[in-house]
Amino acid sequence: MDIKADIIYSWNQNNKVTLYLLDNIEEDWLSTKLNNKGRSIGEQFVHINNIRSFWISKVREKIDLKIDKKYANSKQQLIEGLQKSSQQMSDTLNEIFEQESIKGYKPHPTAFFAQMIAHESHHRGQIMTIIARNDLKISKSVNFGLWSWNNK
């Protein structure tokens, strides 16, 4: 068992799930909010990406991978940004697991990885809540697909 390789693989699966959700959302839904408050669906994806950028810059190297909120309604911009930030996060995870510590983060690399996954899962749940509460029609298979990581 190679824990570092397993974590990198799991990170990449997490990103595939995020992209799978985005791929199954109609572009005109991206501006939809819950009760017309808070972040829109597109802004949730922007936030996921920008938190990745924040943490990569904090623990590894200063790099601006942020997506401007003005692109929150563009699936193509979101997909491109999420792909880039995922690759950089994968590289970051690889590096911090080699070092076995993280500059600017405690307690350890495994907790950092878990926090990143938990954060993104939380926002995928918020996106699904916005979809459900606004009665947007998304296939039930998408909901179940968010949990079928071995099929991605």
Side-chain angles (χ1 to χ4, degrees), residues 16-94:
K16 285 180 183 179
V17 169
T18 298
L19 292 173
Y20 170 77
L21 176 57
L22 178 55
D23 189 49
N24 282 280
I25 289 173
E26 300 294 328
E27 192 155 30
D28 61 339
W29 297 359
L30 293 173
S31 62
T32 307
K33 296 182 177 187
L34 183 61
N35 299 324
N36 292 315
K37 293 190 250 178
R39 290 186 182 107
S40 69
I41 291 173
E43 289 168 344
Q44 295 284 347
F45 286 108
V46 168
H47 176 73
I48 288 169
N49 182 83
N50 291 353
I51 291 300
R52 290 177 183 179
S53 180
F54 168 81
W55 280 110
I56 291 164
S57 291
K58 185 166 174 70
V59 304
R60 185 168 167 238
E61 65 179 299
K62 296 282 184 216
I63 185 168
D64 187 7
L65 300 167
K66 291 182 185 148
I67 300 172
D68 192 295
K69 276 176 72 169
K70 70 183 178 185
Y71 297 114
N73 296 332
S74 168
K75 277 179 85 167
Q76 189 58 39
Q77 290 287 333
L78 294 172
I79 289 167
E80 289 173 13
L82 289 164
Q83 288 172 332
K84 286 178 190 172
S85 64
S86 179
Q87 181 58 55
Q88 287 295 319
M89 182 60 78
S90 184
D91 294 346
T92 299
L93 290 167
N94 191 47

Side-chain angles (χ1 to χ4, degrees), residues 21 44 48 118-132 143 146-147:
L21 176 57
Q44 295 284 347
I48 288 169
H119 176 259
E120 297 196 9
S121 298
H122 164 73
H123 287 286
R124 287 192 300 259
Q126 288 189 326
I127 291 165
M128 291 302 290
T129 298
I130 294 168
I131 290 168
N143 190 29
L146 296 177
W147 296 102

